[in-house]
Amino acid sequence: MMQKNLLYFLITLFSLSLLQAQKPKIPSSSEIYESIQKLNFLGSVLYIAAHPDDENTRLISYMSNQVKARTGYLSLTRGDGGQNLIGPEIRELLGVIRTQELLAARRIDGGEQFFTRANDFGYSKHPDETLDIWNKDQVLSDVVLAIRQFKPDIIINRFDHRTPGTTHGHHTTSALLSMEAFELANDTSAYPDQLKQTSLWQPKRLFYNTSWWRYGSREKFDKLDKSNMLTFDIGVYYPLKGLSNNEVASLASSQHLCQGFGRMAQRGSQNEYIEFLKGDPLINNKNIFDGIDTSWNRVKGGKAIGNILYEVENNFNFKNPSEHLSQLLEAYKLLQNIEDKHWKTQKTKELKAIIEMCAGLYLEASSETNWATPNELIKLNIEVLNRSNKNIVLESLENTNGLKVSKQILLEENIKYDFKENLIIDTDQQPTTPYWLTKKGTLGMYQVDDTNLIGLPETPRTYKIDFNLLIDNIPITFTKNIIYRFSKPDKGELYRPFEIIPEVSAKITEKVIILDNDKQRDITVVVKAGRDDLEGFVEINHPNDWSIFPKNQKISIINKGEEQSLIFTVIPPKNQSEGYISPIVHIGDKKYTKELIEIDYEHIPFQTVLLPSESKIVRLDIKKKGNNIAYIQGAGDVVPESLEQIGYNVRIIKPEDINPEMLKLFDAVVVGIRAYNVVEDLKFKQQLLFDFVAEGGNMIVQYNTSYRLKVTDLAPYNLKLSRDRVTDENAEVRILNPDHEVLNFPNKITQKDFEGWTQERGLYFPDEWADEFTPILSMHDKGETPKEGSLLVAKHGKGNFIYTGLSFFREFPEGVSGAYRLFANMLSIGKEDLKLEAKLND
């Protein structure tokens, strides 16, 4: 019962963290005390890996919460190349989500988050392949910069630099670059321009976070000589939190919802191992900081500060933390005089936060709206509250954008002070958007021109308010981002970031527009006003062999936030053609070409992203048979919408809806990506689906992984999944059965149909199958054996069962013509035979 109650508590805590992900945290006395413990530890650890979810949250939490070290995670990428289990966002937008999920995880495990400019282009089998696409010098420079800025005593690699080709190429590359950067960070000849904004640094030691799986089995690992390793019991219990380290880590890793990482809490003793790789040898194998002074004696002038702060820690008043304010303020004054800029900056930040917490200060600047446009006047509600008996004076409010208001108000205990102020947004203020997306990068790298931004997890907020206070006559400034606070009846108090957006944005409602004949078609352009009284017109930029009517249309929007929809007619050429169209909004003498995208999930802060507004348009020579398609959704894709583009009637069905009578309405059933990994109830419906095929229907199953399969039988015949994949989107495709119907009816599929594919050919191909299956294609990456499991077709009764690992879910959103033609053939297979059979029966 006790274990069940604790589980309920953890689930409740996790649910609250989702609902309040954007709300300022109100610290308890125990959290203030833990902050003081960390303040008194002058040591740091940097964990390095390749992607969101690569980080070991158990070890990050242990270093932060047990060791009390400042702990950071450097993820080389933002995870842009993966899949999304919670929504339709992929590529750049998925990277935005995963960035915020990492920040949510760090808020729980106590770490900090950093990145490089590397773009996650998808799976890579070898570091050589990775570095053919990434710019090695730029990514290495970013790793060096992170080390110089964070100044870790200890670096821990998640992956082994000695095993290239045995795991994701990004993984091994992260370790290889870390090994190089270890010395380069202290080399004046390496990236000297960085020294204008930071300084040299030499980490003390570099480790590899190893485990039994590195050696193949627990038995082999148990027999291993571990004299070069450190061991930590990362299952320790934190009474101040009421949680064990592993429970904290589980909550942190569960923030990776778009990757399906929500998991049950773990408890109990558990060993974690790190292998020493380079740096100062360990004198003993117990202390990772062996030989490093992590006390205040580490910095010149720090002893006097330590004498004060250790006393606060040793005699902390949990009932009334404000009792320590005088000591904290004295330490603050002394800290401003130390010469070590790094520790002065870091510990001043930590100490100010503790002073704010001990004083019970509540400082907030809330806008009347969550977004504004350049030159707009914004009304602010400013709240100031002192919940201690200390003598605190609000001297003034100001910001770097021209606001400066003198107050000179003595803040009486627990009396709230509200102020109304106006703020004018700068005329030339740039919109709020992820800084790494403001310019077009390459397949492997994001372009970031402002070197001050490189490595930051998100774009710093421009609009902030400085609260200039006197606490016991000591001047201290607390800076707060302007936010938007509001409420909903069904959710209560909510917070959003305050964003700057352009005065107008526009989008075409469909990102890919497929026309399967030369008939004209209407498209919708949605224009959104960022300000009141918007007047202008819209035109569509288009390829020369296409026509758009009318040439332009006027827009007139009265209220900020409202939208106006415009219908344009697209007239395609007679022959197959493709290109891009984009709306151009004219407001006075200005032109706007970007789309405002909103990302709204409860577990991460609300995000606005500005991207070029364009849609791919394709005049496609395509034929199809059969009209009605049932689609079973899996991990999230836009395949149903894509099939509707080429004229199919698609209905999303749920497992509970599946029955023989309902299935008779459809010509084919398509199973979404990873559906057998994420949809539990499908295991009860497999036989009904197989019976549907036997009666003449077609069934197409898209890729799944062999891990955590929910069904026993993937197909009506034996079929075994592997980890085979072809990551080179240009890999040669060899046709094994050129006469097979799926390559000839109703569209003739040739090598040309495999041109222009994006990110990969496919993934998790079967490597074993029954004789009933016919392999259609063969492909492989450089240096590998041919993989023939990407497209398997089996006759089952009167119908056809198809299993495919080809990445249609990536190709459809990019408008890849050949992918549409091949999928149409897969849906159409056998339909000609059924027509002939029907005629014969008549």
PDB file of all heavy atoms in Angstrom, residues 697-709:
ATOM      1  N   GLY A 697      -9.359  -7.248 -49.252  1.00  0.00           N
ATOM      2  CA  GLY A 697      -8.831  -5.920 -48.950  1.00  0.00           C
ATOM      3  C   GLY A 697      -7.313  -5.885 -48.987  1.00  0.00           C
ATOM      4  O   GLY A 697      -6.645  -6.920 -49.000  1.00  0.00           O
ATOM      5  N   ASN A 698      -6.766  -4.688 -49.041  1.00  0.00           N
ATOM      6  CA  ASN A 698      -5.323  -4.510 -48.947  1.00  0.00           C
ATOM      7  C   ASN A 698      -4.978  -3.934 -47.580  1.00  0.00           C
ATOM      8  O   ASN A 698      -5.696  -3.089 -47.057  1.00  0.00           O
ATOM      9  CB  ASN A 698      -4.809  -3.574 -50.045  1.00  0.00           C
ATOM     10  CG  ASN A 698      -4.877  -4.213 -51.418  1.00  0.00           C
ATOM     11  OD1 ASN A 698      -4.873  -5.435 -51.534  1.00  0.00           O
ATOM     12  ND2 ASN A 698      -4.941  -3.393 -52.462  1.00  0.00           N
ATOM     13  N   MET A 699      -3.870  -4.383 -47.040  1.00  0.00           N
ATOM     14  CA  MET A 699      -3.413  -3.881 -45.754  1.00  0.00           C
ATOM     15  C   MET A 699      -1.944  -3.495 -45.882  1.00  0.00           C
ATOM     16  O   MET A 699      -1.112  -4.289 -46.324  1.00  0.00           O
ATOM     17  CB  MET A 699      -3.591  -4.946 -44.666  1.00  0.00           C
ATOM     18  CG  MET A 699      -3.163  -4.483 -43.270  1.00  0.00           C
ATOM     19  SD  MET A 699      -3.516  -5.769 -42.034  1.00  0.00           S
ATOM     20  CE  MET A 699      -2.833  -5.021 -40.552  1.00  0.00           C
ATOM     21  N   ILE A 700      -1.659  -2.265 -45.523  1.00  0.00           N
ATOM     22  CA  ILE A 700      -0.282  -1.757 -45.575  1.00  0.00           C
ATOM     23  C   ILE A 700       0.148  -1.409 -44.156  1.00  0.00           C
ATOM     24  O   ILE A 700      -0.494  -0.589 -43.500  1.00  0.00           O
ATOM     25  CB  ILE A 700      -0.171  -0.517 -46.484  1.00  0.00           C
ATOM     26  CG1 ILE A 700      -0.584  -0.861 -47.913  1.00  0.00           C
ATOM     27  CG2 ILE A 700       1.253   0.048 -46.454  1.00  0.00           C
ATOM     28  CD1 ILE A 700      -0.684   0.345 -48.828  1.00  0.00           C
ATOM     29  N   VAL A 701       1.210  -2.039 -43.710  1.00  0.00           N
ATOM     30  CA  VAL A 701       1.770  -1.748 -42.389  1.00  0.00           C
ATOM     31  C   VAL A 701       3.090  -1.011 -42.586  1.00  0.00           C
ATOM     32  O   VAL A 701       3.994  -1.522 -43.242  1.00  0.00           O
ATOM     33  CB  VAL A 701       1.988  -3.036 -41.573  1.00  0.00           C
ATOM     34  CG1 VAL A 701       2.640  -2.712 -40.228  1.00  0.00           C
ATOM     35  CG2 VAL A 701       0.664  -3.757 -41.366  1.00  0.00           C
ATOM     36  N   GLN A 702       3.166   0.198 -42.019  1.00  0.00           N
ATOM     37  CA  GLN A 702       4.404   0.976 -42.080  1.00  0.00           C
ATOM     38  C   GLN A 702       5.303   0.624 -40.905  1.00  0.00           C
ATOM     39  O   GLN A 702       4.889  -0.078 -39.996  1.00  0.00           O
ATOM     40  CB  GLN A 702       4.070   2.462 -42.094  1.00  0.00           C
ATOM     41  CG  GLN A 702       3.226   2.882 -43.302  1.00  0.00           C
ATOM     42  CD  GLN A 702       2.831   4.337 -43.220  1.00  0.00           C
ATOM     43  OE1 GLN A 702       3.554   5.231 -43.632  1.00  0.00           O
ATOM     44  NE2 GLN A 702       1.650   4.574 -42.678  1.00  0.00           N
ATOM     45  N   TYR A 703       6.495   1.186 -40.902  1.00  0.00           N
ATOM     46  CA  TYR A 703       7.559   0.691 -40.022  1.00  0.00           C
ATOM     47  C   TYR A 703       7.194   0.684 -38.541  1.00  0.00           C
ATOM     48  O   TYR A 703       6.491   1.531 -38.037  1.00  0.00           O
ATOM     49  CB  TYR A 703       8.840   1.486 -40.264  1.00  0.00           C
ATOM     50  CG  TYR A 703       9.107   2.594 -39.260  1.00  0.00           C
ATOM     51  CD1 TYR A 703       9.851   2.352 -38.108  1.00  0.00           C
ATOM     52  CD2 TYR A 703       8.622   3.886 -39.453  1.00  0.00           C
ATOM     53  CE1 TYR A 703      10.093   3.349 -37.180  1.00  0.00           C
ATOM     54  CE2 TYR A 703       8.862   4.892 -38.526  1.00  0.00           C
ATOM     55  CZ  TYR A 703       9.602   4.616 -37.395  1.00  0.00           C
ATOM     56  OH  TYR A 703       9.840   5.602 -36.474  1.00  0.00           O
ATOM     57  N   ASN A 704       7.723  -0.336 -37.860  1.00  0.00           N
ATOM     58  CA  ASN A 704       7.683  -0.444 -36.409  1.00  0.00           C
ATOM     59  C   ASN A 704       9.083  -0.812 -35.932  1.00  0.00           C
ATOM     60  O   ASN A 704       9.937  -1.199 -36.734  1.00  0.00           O
ATOM     61  CB  ASN A 704       6.699  -1.526 -35.966  1.00  0.00           C
ATOM     62  CG  ASN A 704       5.264  -1.156 -36.243  1.00  0.00           C
ATOM     63  OD1 ASN A 704       4.589  -0.581 -35.407  1.00  0.00           O
ATOM     64  ND2 ASN A 704       4.769  -1.505 -37.431  1.00  0.00           N
ATOM     65  N   THR A 705       9.317  -0.700 -34.645  1.00  0.00           N
ATOM     66  CA  THR A 705      10.569  -1.186 -34.084  1.00  0.00           C
ATOM     67  C   THR A 705      10.300  -2.487 -33.358  1.00  0.00           C
ATOM     68  O   THR A 705       9.183  -2.735 -32.892  1.00  0.00           O
ATOM     69  CB  THR A 705      11.187  -0.165 -33.108  1.00  0.00           C
ATOM     70  OG1 THR A 705      10.379  -0.093 -31.930  1.00  0.00           O
ATOM     71  CG2 THR A 705      11.269   1.218 -33.741  1.00  0.00           C
ATOM     72  N   SER A 706      11.319  -3.312 -33.249  1.00  0.00           N
ATOM     73  CA  SER A 706      11.154  -4.606 -32.581  1.00  0.00           C
ATOM     74  C   SER A 706      11.040  -4.444 -31.074  1.00  0.00           C
ATOM     75  O   SER A 706      10.599  -5.351 -30.374  1.00  0.00           O
ATOM     76  CB  SER A 706      12.339  -5.524 -32.915  1.00  0.00           C
ATOM     77  OG  SER A 706      13.568  -4.911 -32.540  1.00  0.00           O
ATOM     78  N   TYR A 707      11.412  -3.262 -30.571  1.00  0.00           N
ATOM     79  CA  TYR A 707      11.384  -2.999 -29.132  1.00  0.00           C
ATOM     80  C   TYR A 707       9.974  -2.606 -28.700  1.00  0.00           C
ATOM     81  O   TYR A 707       9.348  -1.735 -29.299  1.00  0.00           O
ATOM     82  CB  TYR A 707      12.380  -1.882 -28.809  1.00  0.00           C
ATOM     83  CG  TYR A 707      12.476  -1.508 -27.345  1.00  0.00           C
ATOM     84  CD1 TYR A 707      12.861  -2.458 -26.405  1.00  0.00           C
ATOM     85  CD2 TYR A 707      12.192  -0.226 -26.918  1.00  0.00           C
ATOM     86  CE1 TYR A 707      12.971  -2.125 -25.060  1.00  0.00           C
ATOM     87  CE2 TYR A 707      12.305   0.123 -25.572  1.00  0.00           C
ATOM     88  CZ  TYR A 707      12.688  -0.835 -24.650  1.00  0.00           C
ATOM     89  OH  TYR A 707      12.785  -0.503 -23.316  1.00  0.00           O
ATOM     90  N   ARG A 708       9.462  -3.267 -27.688  1.00  0.00           N
ATOM     91  CA  ARG A 708       8.147  -2.980 -27.115  1.00  0.00           C
ATOM     92  C   ARG A 708       7.006  -3.144 -28.123  1.00  0.00           C
ATOM     93  O   ARG A 708       6.091  -2.341 -28.180  1.00  0.00           O
ATOM     94  CB  ARG A 708       8.109  -1.572 -26.532  1.00  0.00           C
ATOM     95  CG  ARG A 708       8.979  -1.396 -25.285  1.00  0.00           C
ATOM     96  CD  ARG A 708       8.856   0.011 -24.718  1.00  0.00           C
ATOM     97  NE  ARG A 708       9.634   0.158 -23.496  1.00  0.00           N
ATOM     98  CZ  ARG A 708       9.778   1.306 -22.833  1.00  0.00           C
ATOM     99  NH1 ARG A 708       9.185   2.392 -23.282  1.00  0.00           N
ATOM    100  NH2 ARG A 708      10.497   1.370 -21.743  1.00  0.00           N
ATOM    101  N   LEU A 709       7.051  -4.201 -28.888  1.00  0.00           N
ATOM    102  CA  LEU A 709       5.937  -4.505 -29.779  1.00  0.00           C
ATOM    103  C   LEU A 709       4.726  -4.913 -28.956  1.00  0.00           C
ATOM    104  O   LEU A 709       4.834  -5.673 -27.986  1.00  0.00           O
ATOM    105  CB  LEU A 709       6.315  -5.625 -30.740  1.00  0.00           C
ATOM    106  CG  LEU A 709       7.053  -5.232 -32.013  1.00  0.00           C
ATOM    107  CD1 LEU A 709       7.517  -6.480 -32.758  1.00  0.00           C
ATOM    108  CD2 LEU A 709       6.175  -4.374 -32.931  1.00  0.00           C
TER     109      LEU A 709
END
